[in-house]
Amino acid sequence: MADGTLKCADDILCGINRPKDPANPSDLEKKHLPVIEAPAQAGKDQPFQVRVEVGKLLAHPNEPAHFIAWLELYSGETFLGRAEFTGGGSYPTAVFTVKLSHGHGALRARALCNLHGLWESERPIEIIS
Ligand SMILES: [Fe+2]
């Protein structure tokens, strides 16, 4: 920065990383952004499955020194669940069964890489009666 001010947006270890251009993610973004597979609509209070995977767009390392430590799923800002992983013997994919009584606009998944910080993706979903 010309004025010497340091910005959180310039540091991947600061805050939550989201794709800068979702239609054209960088290789770093492809390696870290969780991919959410879920129906576009779900019935009120009807269980449905949400699959979350890191590495689907571009493989992420999975070794003791560099791995995805956990995945979390949210409906809007409401926490729904978490899966934790170790480096080497696991693969960062989780299937959550959830039921929602109302929508928050989108499902959100967060993934933490032990070297590259916190990443978030979202997928719209509508809860219908
Ligand atoms: Fe990483």
Side-chain angles (χ1 to χ4, degrees):
M1 305 301 310
D3 64 1
T5 304
L6 299 174
K7 304 283 190 198
C8 181
D10 298 328
D11 181 354
I12 63 170
L13 298 179
C14 186
I16 301 173
N17 297 292
R18 298 179 177 91
K20 290 180 174 47
D21 176 5
N24 189 24
S26 68
D27 283 354
L28 185 68
E29 291 172 338
K30 288 178 185 174
K31 283 184 185 176
H32 292 92
L33 288 167
V35 174
I36 304 168
E37 295 176 2
Q41 289 186 329
K44 178 183 185 300
D45 295 327
Q46 299 299 308
F48 62 96
Q49 290 194 326
V50 180
R51 186 175 191 275
V52 180
E53 177 177 355
V54 172
K56 189 176 180 80
L57 301 175
L58 190 62
H60 183 275
N62 184 23
E63 55 198 38
H66 186 191
F67 62 99
I68 300 298
W70 49 257
L71 299 174
E72 290 181 338
L73 182 66
Y74 297 78
S75 175
E77 298 294 330
T78 302
F79 175 75
L80 297 175
R82 178 182 176 116
E84 298 189 37
F85 306 96
T86 58
S90 62
Y91 185 83
T93 299
V95 178
F96 299 90
T97 301
V98 300
K99 65 181 183 72
L100 300 175
S101 56
H102 52 275
H104 298 94
L107 295 167
R108 302 165 114 181
R110 291 181 180 167
L112 181 71
C113 169
N114 71 320
L115 289 184
H116 299 112
L118 186 58
W119 298 78
E120 182 181 270
S121 299
E122 65 178 46
R123 178 183 174 89
I125 189 167
E126 193 175 35
I127 304 302
I128 58 176
S129 57

